[in-house]
Every structure is written in C-alpha cells, then in structure tokens.
Amino acid sequence: MTTKEFVAVEKTLLSSLPNFSIQGALLFRRPIKEILCGIAFDRSGDKASFYVWYFAMPACVPSKSLYLNYGRRLIVSPGRDRWEATMPQLSLELASALRLQALPYFTRLGELDTFITYAMSLTKDDMSAQRALAYALARSGKYLEAVAVIDHLRSLTGGTKRQWVRDIVDEALGLRTLLVNEPAKALQQLREWEEETFRNLRLNAYR
C-alpha cells in the first residue's frame, strides 16, 4: 500500500481516536509529550496487505527516524498480524483492535514515569534499553539514578571497537558529565534532543 492509501485508512480511524493526528503513515497522540505514542502503518511484501505497529518512543533519545524497540504489532487474530486492505470491515476491525491493544499500551508506557517503570523491567544487557532508561531518568530529574544506569551502560561495551557502540557510549558519557557537574545543562541537552527528534520526524509543528 502507498502512503496515500494509508492516510485514507487513518482518516477513517480518527473518530475512534479523537486525540490523534496524522503525519503520513503515522498516527500520533496529542499533545506530544516526552514519550511519543504512535501507530505506524507499514508495508508488507504485497500491495494488498500491511502491518500496523503501536509504540512508545522516548523523544529525548536523539533519533533520525521512528524506531519500534518499544512497540508491538497490532494483532488481527491469534497468530495473525497482517492486515488485508480488502477486509470488508477493515476500519471497524482496526478501530476495535486499537482500542483493545494499543490504547491500554499507551496508558502503560505513555508517560515518562510509566515508561521508566517499564524500561526497568527490560533486560539489563540491552544497550538500547539501558540508554533509553538512563535518558528518561535524567529527563524526569532523577539524576543520580541516571548516572548509575549510564555507568552500567558503559560496562556493557566489553571493549568493542564498533563505531556505533562507541558513539552511543560517548554521547551517554557526555550527558553523565553534565548530570554530575551541571544538571541544568543536562536537562537542556535532553530537551534539545527531543526537539531534534521531533524535527526529524516532521512533528515539530505539532509541539
């Protein structure tokens, strides 16, 4: 399916999702806060079917695009997650599935404090999860806890020379320095990263 076709489907869902707006193949919850809650429509291998993801994304982790680390595919029925554009009651079935699956998920993860609780339950060996947790803690003002998570994040590198890992750690250590010495500047940095993320996702106009 094309983005234009996804937008047409999204428009039929707005009456069931009154706090959401459309940006291309993305439905996002408003007002936009520190945690972006969204519903992403994704192409499949053929033109007549597609996938739908619902996700929560901490915007203070700088990103050039959507990432679905903290998301799930919308289920059509048990064992089936691919939606067919030809389904006779497509809009009604999508709206029902979103109410049952996505909206409770957003309640669980859609605020900074609830996202932190969720992130704390994830494996401590996942660098992406630990980075998101550290930045969310710092964004919420829990500076000492954020520093501890960043220290743990650094320990996960195992001396690797992979550039992307080094970039993540260097960024986190820079934030750590600010958290320890100039917490006000650390908070400003996190806010700037949020704005950068929203600009990259073309959502800054909705802020």
Side-chain angles (χ1 to χ4, degrees), residues 128 153 166:
S128 294
L153 174 63
R166 293 170 59 187

Side-chain angles (χ1 to χ4, degrees), residues 93-166:
E93 292 195 40
L94 277 170
S96 176
L98 288 168
R99 282 194 299 269
L100 291 173
Q101 300 172 48
L103 297 187
Y105 190 78
F106 296 151
T107 299
R108 182 183 170 203
L109 273 71
E111 302 293 337
L112 202 52
D113 58 342
T114 57
F115 179 84
I116 288 170
T117 299
Y118 169 76
M120 284 180 170
S121 72
L122 301 176
T123 174
K124 290 182 171 53
D125 296 329
D126 185 323
M127 289 192 65
S128 294
Q130 292 302 295
R131 181 190 185 204
L133 174 58
Y135 288 24
L137 284 166
R139 184 66 176 85
S140 70
K142 298 177 181 178
Y143 302 141
L144 293 179
E145 293 177 55
V147 166
V149 176
I150 291 172
D151 288 342
H152 175 65
L153 174 63
R154 177 169 52 180
S155 74
L156 296 177
T157 61
T160 182
K161 295 183 179 180
R162 286 177 291 182
Q163 188 61 48
W164 69 269
V165 174
R166 293 170 59 187

Side-chain angles (χ1 to χ4, degrees), residues 68-97:
L68 303 171
N69 300 46
Y70 315 107
R72 298 176 180 176
R73 275 183 178 171
L74 190 70
I75 302 300
V76 183
S77 58
R80 182 182 170 209
D81 60 7
R82 188 161 68 174
W83 294 80
E84 303 294 334
T86 55
M87 293 170 64
Q89 300 293 325
L90 177 61
S91 294
L92 290 175
E93 292 195 40
L94 277 170
S96 176

